[in-house]
C-alpha cells in the first residue's frame, strides 16, 4: 500500500516544503516497499526538477592533509595513518587553471575544499581571489573550509561565493562516535552563519559508517528540520581508506560497504522530505554499480561530482560518467538552473 504523504505534488504541481518532519514519519518512509518509495520519490522529483538532467560539480583539494580534526572517516586528518602528504594552500593561479579544465569538461560548479578546522584570517585574501576568479569564468563557486565565523561567512558572501559545503555527516547521536574534536552543534552554528550571510547551503553526510537505520533517519531529520532546507544535499557512501579509524575498522568486514538498496532508500527519502533541494550522489560512486547509480537517479539524485578524483580519493571519471549518462538518457544540467518549483515562484 502506498503511503499518503503531505509532500505529494498537488494537481497544479505546487510543492509544500515542510520543515516539521518527525522522525516517525521519516522512519515510515524508509519502511515503505521499495517500488512504492521510488515511485513517490520520482513523482516528487518530476514535480520539482527537470527530469533526466543531472548537475555536474568538480572538486579540487586546495589544501590537502594535516588537518587537526579527528574525523574517523578522513584520510586528511593528521591523526590518520594514511600516508597522505600534507600540503600548503595552493596558489590562486593553480586553482584557476584547474577550474578552467573543469569548465572545459562540462562542469557547472567548482567546489574547493581545504583540510582545515577553520580558515585563518590570513588565508582569506587568497580564498577570496579564488572565488572571484572562478566566478569570472562563469562557473558557480562552492567552498568547504571547515568552521566559519559570521565575519568570515560575510566576507565570502561579499566575494560572490555561491555555495558553502559543511556536512552534518550523521545523526546527532552517532556524531560523537565518529568525531571528537568538534560537536554537532558546532556544525549547526557554521550552517547558521552561512545561511544568514546569504550564501546557499550545501549540507549532507556519509552513510556506511556503521550507523544504524535509526541514525540515517536522525541524519535526514536533522537536515529536513533546519529552518530552511539546504539547497544541496550531498549523500556520500563511505570511501574506506586504510589508515583511517573507520577504514581500518570496516574495510574487511561486511559493513565496509553500505547495502545498495539501503543506500538508494536514503537518497529517495532525502528527495521526498527535501523536495526542492539538489540531492548529490557524492563520494563512493567509484565502487558503486551502474545499476545502483541508475536507481539513485530514479530515486531523485540530480547532481554528481565529476572527474577522476574527488578531493584525494578516486572518482568514477568523465568517460565512465559520459557512458553512463548516454546509457540512461541523462544530460548535464546547465549552470544556474533552478528547481522547477523555485523558478515558478
Ligand atoms: N575540512 C572541511 C570539513 O570537514 O568541513 C572540508 C573538507 S571535508 C573532506 C568534506 C566532507 O567530505 C566531509 O564532511 C565528509 O562528509 C566527506 N568525506 C571526507 N572523507 C570521506 C570519506 N572517506 N568517504 C566519504 N565521505 C568523506
Ligand atoms: C561532500 O559531501 N563530499 C565531497 C565534498 N562534500 C567536499 C568530498 C568527498 C571526499 C571523499 C574523500 C576524498 O576524496 O578525500
Ligand atoms: Fe579535517 Fe574535514 Fe577531514 Fe575532518 S573531514 S579531518 S575537518 S579535512
Amino acid at each position: 500500500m502506498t503511503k499518503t504523504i503531505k509532500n505529494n505534488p498537488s494537481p497544479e504541481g505546487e510543492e509544500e516544503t515542510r520543515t516539521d518532519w518527525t522522525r516517525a514519519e521519516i522512519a515510515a518512509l524508509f519502511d515503505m516497499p521499495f517500488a512504492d518509495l521510488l515511485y513517490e520519490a520520482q513523482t516528487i522529483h518530476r514535480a520539482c526538477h527537470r527530469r533526466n538532467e543531472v548537475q555536474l560539480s568538480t572538486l579540487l583539494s586546495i589544501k590537502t592533509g594535516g588537518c587537526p580534526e579527528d574525523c574517523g572517516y578522513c584520510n586528511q586528518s593528521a591523526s590518520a595513518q594514511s600516508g597522505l602528504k600534507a600540503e600548503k594552500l595552493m596558489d590562486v593561479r593553480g586553482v584557476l587553471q584547474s577550474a578552467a579544465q573543469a569548465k572545459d569538461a562540462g562542469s557547472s560548479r567548482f567546489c574547493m575544499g581545504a583540510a582545515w578546522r577553520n580558515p585563518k584570517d590570513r588565508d582569506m585574501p587568497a580564498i577570496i581571489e579564488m572565488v572571484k576568479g572562478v566566478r569570472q569564468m562563469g562557473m558557480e563557486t562552492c567552498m568547504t573550509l571547515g568552521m566559519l565565523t559570521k565575519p568570515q561567512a560575510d566576507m565570502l558572501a561579499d566575494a560572490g561565493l555561491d555555495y558553502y559545503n559543511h556536512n552534518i555527516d550523521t545523526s546527532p547521536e552517532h556524531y560523537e562516535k565518529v568525531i571528537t574534536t568538534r560537536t554537532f552543534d558546532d556544525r549547526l552554528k557554521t550552517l547558521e552563519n552561512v545561511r544568514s550571510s546569504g550564501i546557499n547551503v550545501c549540507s549532507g553526510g556519509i552513510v556506511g559508517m556503521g550507523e544504524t537505520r535509526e541514525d540515517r533517519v536522525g541524519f535526514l531529520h536533522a537536515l529536513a528540520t533546519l529552518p530552511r532546507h539546504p539547497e544541496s544535499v550531498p549523500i556520500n557512501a563511505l570511501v574506506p581508506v586504510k589508515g583511517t579509524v573507520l577504514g581500518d575498522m570496516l574495510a574487511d568486514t561486511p559493513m565496509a560497504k553500505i547495502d545498495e538498496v539501503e543506500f538508494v532508500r536514503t537518497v529517495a527519502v532525502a528527495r521526498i522530505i527535501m523536495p526542492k533541494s539538489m540531492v548529490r550522489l557524492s563520494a563512493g560512486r567509484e565502487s558503486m554499480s551502474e545499476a545502483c547509480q541508475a536507481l539513485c537517479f530514479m530515486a531523485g539524485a540530480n547532481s554528481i561530482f565529476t572527474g577522476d578524483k574527488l578531493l584525494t580519493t578516486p572518482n568514477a571519471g568523465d568517460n565512465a560518467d559520459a557512458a553512463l549518462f548516454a546509457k540512461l538518457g541523462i544530460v548535464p544540467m546547465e549552470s544556474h538552473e533552478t528547481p522547477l518549483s523555485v523558478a515558478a515562484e
Side-chain angles (χ1 to χ4, degrees):
M1 195 179 61
T2 307
K3 271 182 57 66
T4 304
I5 54 163
K6 272 203 189 160
N7 261 329
N8 261 339
S10 67
E12 297 81 35
E14 277 302 304
E15 287 299 315
E16 185 190 346
T17 303
R18 288 180 52 196
T19 55
D20 63 348
W21 290 96
T22 65
R23 282 194 180 209
E25 285 176 304
I26 297 173
L29 289 172
F30 265 101
D31 282 342
M32 281 171 76
F34 190 66
D36 291 351
L37 177 63
L38 252 64
Y39 180 76
E40 198 87 59
Q42 178 64 202
T43 305
I44 286 171
H45 184 68
R46 283 171 180 245
C48 295
H49 300 270
R50 289 169 181 82
R51 61 187 194 264
N52 305 317
E53 290 191 13
V54 169
Q55 187 261 331
L56 308 181
S57 294
T58 299
L59 281 165
L60 176 70
S61 180
I62 58 171
K63 197 275 162 214
T64 303
C67 183
E69 303 273 23
D70 70 351
C71 313
Y73 47 77
C74 188
N75 59 341
Q76 303 205 63
S77 166
S79 47
Q81 312 292 315
S82 59
L84 189 75
K85 204 173 137 264
E87 290 168 16
K88 284 200 186 124
L89 179 64
M90 282 177 74
D91 65 27
V92 178
R93 243 178 68 163
V95 172
L96 298 186
Q97 273 168 2
S98 294
Q101 283 166 10
K103 192 178 179 205
D104 288 347
S107 207
S108 63
R109 190 178 304 169
F110 195 61
C111 179
M112 295 158 267
W116 283 330
R117 177 173 164 81
N118 52 265
K120 298 203 169 58
D121 286 341
R122 65 161 191 257
D123 297 315
M124 293 307 282
I127 293 293
I128 280 164
E129 268 191 72
M130 291 173 195
V131 174
K132 288 185 173 165
V134 175
R135 260 195 132 226
Q136 267 169 14
M137 291 176 190
M139 293 177 90
E140 291 176 343
T141 50
C142 177
M143 286 203 153
T144 179
L145 314 170
M147 293 187 262
L148 288 187
T149 61
K150 178 69 166 75
Q152 286 174 330
D154 288 341
M155 281 168 88
L156 291 172
D158 288 346
L161 183 69
D162 297 293
Y163 290 82
Y164 195 78
N165 167 245
H166 200 65
N167 290 343
I168 61 163
D169 277 332
T170 187
S171 67
E173 297 78 23
H174 195 62
Y175 196 84
E176 60 195 35
K177 295 183 196 149
V178 179
I179 301 147
T180 68
T181 49
R182 57 165 192 261
T183 65
F184 194 81
D185 284 347
D186 288 334
R187 289 311 257 192
L188 296 182
K189 183 69 202 154
T190 290
L191 289 178
E192 198 182 300
N193 289 339
V194 171
R195 178 57 85 203
S196 64
S197 74
I199 300 170
N200 291 305
V201 170
C202 170
S203 187
I206 312 178
V207 292
M209 298 197 292
E211 77 283 347
T212 59
R213 159 72 73 82
E214 215 178 311
D215 288 316
R216 287 186 282 280
V217 169
F219 153 57
L220 291 184
H221 176 261
L223 291 174
T225 54
L226 286 170
R228 227 173 111 187
H229 292 166
E231 280 73 17
S232 287
V233 178
I235 309 282
N236 298 276
L238 176 73
V239 178
V241 184
K242 209 162 166 256
T244 60
V245 175
L246 284 169
D248 288 348
M249 204 192 291
L250 302 176
D252 299 322
T253 75
M255 284 303 300
K257 203 165 164 262
I258 179 89
D259 174 77
E260 290 196 335
V261 171
E262 182 69 7
F263 186 81
V264 178
R265 280 187 185 276
T266 308
V267 170
V269 175
R271 164 53 63 232
I272 292 169
I273 63 177
M274 293 174 280
K276 293 176 186 170
S277 304
M278 302 292 288
V279 175
R280 183 171 304 117
L281 181 52
S282 302
R285 275 197 317 118
E286 212 228 352
S287 57
M288 216 174 265
S289 67
E290 285 193 341
C292 179
Q293 294 184 59
L295 282 172
C296 289
F297 296 132
M298 184 76 191
N302 60 348
S303 176
I304 59 168
F305 286 121
T306 54
D308 53 17
K309 203 160 133 190
L310 291 163
L311 288 173
T312 63
T313 64
N315 192 27
D318 293 337
N319 293 343
D321 288 340
L324 180 60
F325 277 25
K327 238 187 223 188
L328 301 177
I330 288 175
V331 294
M333 199 178 281
E334 296 288 316
S335 190
H336 297 295
E337 281 194 279
T338 45
L340 290 175
S341 47
V342 173
E345 273 167 10

